[in-house]
Amino acid sequence: MITAIVFVKADVARIPEVAEAIAALDGVSEVYSVTGQIDLIALVRVRRHEDVAGVVAEQLNKVPGVVGTETHIAFRAYSRHDLESAFSLGLD
C-alpha cells in the first residue's frame, strides 16, 4: 500500500466544503484541517504509484476551492499504531 500525504491550500471561505469533497474521493482515507501555511492535509492510500496521480492530479486538484497542493510519498511508517497492528495476535 502506498501512502501519500497531500498538503492542500484552499479558498479560506470554503475549507469545510473542500475538506468534505476531498474526503469523499476514492483513495482518500483521511482529511485534517490544520494551522500554518496550508489549510488541509489529506492522506491518500492506494495500491500503485500511478493511482496517486489519479487521485491527486485527476480528482483532488479539481475539487472546487482547491488553490494548490504539495504531495509527499511516505517510505515507511513508524507510528505506534501501525507497529502494534503489525504485531497483534488479535487477542484483547
Side-chain angles (χ1 to χ4, degrees):
M1 184 70 64
I2 296 164
T3 300
I5 299 97
V6 184
F7 295 176
V8 180
K9 186 76 174 156
D11 177 353
V12 176
R14 301 178 70 186
I15 290 174
E17 296 85 4
V18 172
E20 289 178 14
I22 292 171
L25 298 175
D26 287 339
V28 175
S29 63
E30 300 160 68
V31 179
Y32 298 94
S33 60
V34 296
T35 61
Q37 299 292 326
I38 57 174
D39 301 303
L40 302 167
I41 294 177
L43 297 182
V44 174
R45 298 179 197 275
V46 293
R47 295 195 181 278
R48 302 174 309 140
H49 284 96
E50 295 82 10
D51 297 333
V52 174
V55 173
V56 177
E58 296 173 16
Q59 297 179 61
L60 195 151
N61 279 335
K62 295 178 182 175
V63 169
V66 170
V67 176
T69 62
E70 182 178 324
T71 303
H72 302 265
I73 303 295
F75 291 129
R76 186 175 294 149
Y78 292 99
S79 71
R80 165 171 249 137
H81 171 71
D82 291 336
L83 292 174
E84 287 175 356
S85 64
F87 293 102
S88 172
L89 298 175
L91 303 174
D92 289 335

